[in-house]
Amino acid sequence: MTRNVVSTYLRQSISLIVGMSLLALFCMNLWGKTEVMLMPVCISSVFQLVACIAYAFVWRWVMSTSPDSMPTLYMSASALRMFAAVVVVMAYCWLTDNRDSIRFFVAIFLIYYFVILIYDTWYFVKIEKKVKTNV
C-alpha cells in the first residue's frame, strides 16, 4: 500500500503543478505579461516539484520504518515547506529591486503554495481516514 499511495501522491501532485504552470503560461500569453510572470512561474513550479518529490521520499521512508510517527511527519513537513517558502520569497525580494516583479512573484508563489497545501491536506486526510477504517 505504501508504494501505491506515495506514487499516486507524486503523480497527482506533479500533474497539479504542471496544470497550474500551463494555466499560468496561457494567462501570460493572454495578458501579455510574459517578461514579468515567467520567472515567478518557473521558480514556483520548481520549488513545489522539489518539495513534493522530497516529501514523497521521506513519506515512503517514514511509513516503512515507523508508521506511528506519520502525524508528526505531516506537521513537520508542512512547517519545513513553509520555512523553505519564506526563505525563497525573501531571497527573491533581496535579489530583485523591481517592486512590480516582487508583487507578481509573491502573488504567483502564494497561489502555487496554497493550491499544493490544500491538495496535500485533502490527500492526507483521505489517506488517514482509509488507514483508520482498516485498523
Side-chain angles (χ1 to χ4, degrees):
M1 177 174 158
T2 303
R3 287 194 185 275
N4 189 26
V5 169
V6 173
S7 63
T8 301
Y9 168 76
L10 269 176
R11 192 174 42 243
Q12 289 177 356
S13 61
I14 289 171
S15 298
L16 184 61
I17 293 166
V18 168
M20 285 191 302
S21 298
L22 290 175
L23 180 64
L25 290 173
F26 175 73
C27 291
M28 280 190 285
N29 286 331
L30 189 66
W31 297 328
K33 300 278 188 184
T34 307
E35 65 280 348
V36 178
M37 290 177 65
L38 187 60
M39 184 65 73
V41 168
C42 290
I43 292 172
S44 300
S45 60
V46 168
F47 175 82
Q48 293 302 336
L49 283 171
V50 169
C52 287
I53 291 169
Y55 192 44
F57 284 124
V58 171
W59 184 21
R60 182 180 293 157
W61 178 73
V62 169
M63 190 169 273
S64 65
T65 58
S66 61
D68 293 337
S69 56
M70 288 306 295
T72 306
L73 172 69
Y74 298 150
M75 296 289 277
S76 60
S78 294
L80 185 61
R81 182 181 287 188
M82 184 177 65
F83 178 72
V86 168
V87 168
V88 168
V89 169
M90 295 302 286
Y92 187 86
C93 292
W94 186 64
L95 294 173
T96 305
D97 57 353
N98 185 353
R99 283 191 144 163
D100 288 335
S101 176
I102 291 172
R103 282 189 206 128
F104 271 108
F105 177 76
V106 170
I108 290 171
F109 193 86
L110 284 176
I111 290 169
Y112 273 83
Y113 182 83
F114 284 124
V115 168
I116 294 298
L117 181 68
I118 291 167
Y119 167 73
D120 282 353
T121 303
W122 170 78
Y123 190 79
F124 296 124
V125 165
K126 185 177 84 166
I127 294 303
E128 282 301 310
K129 281 183 182 178
K130 263 187 201 177
V131 168
K132 287 187 182 189
T133 59
N134 289 339
V135 172

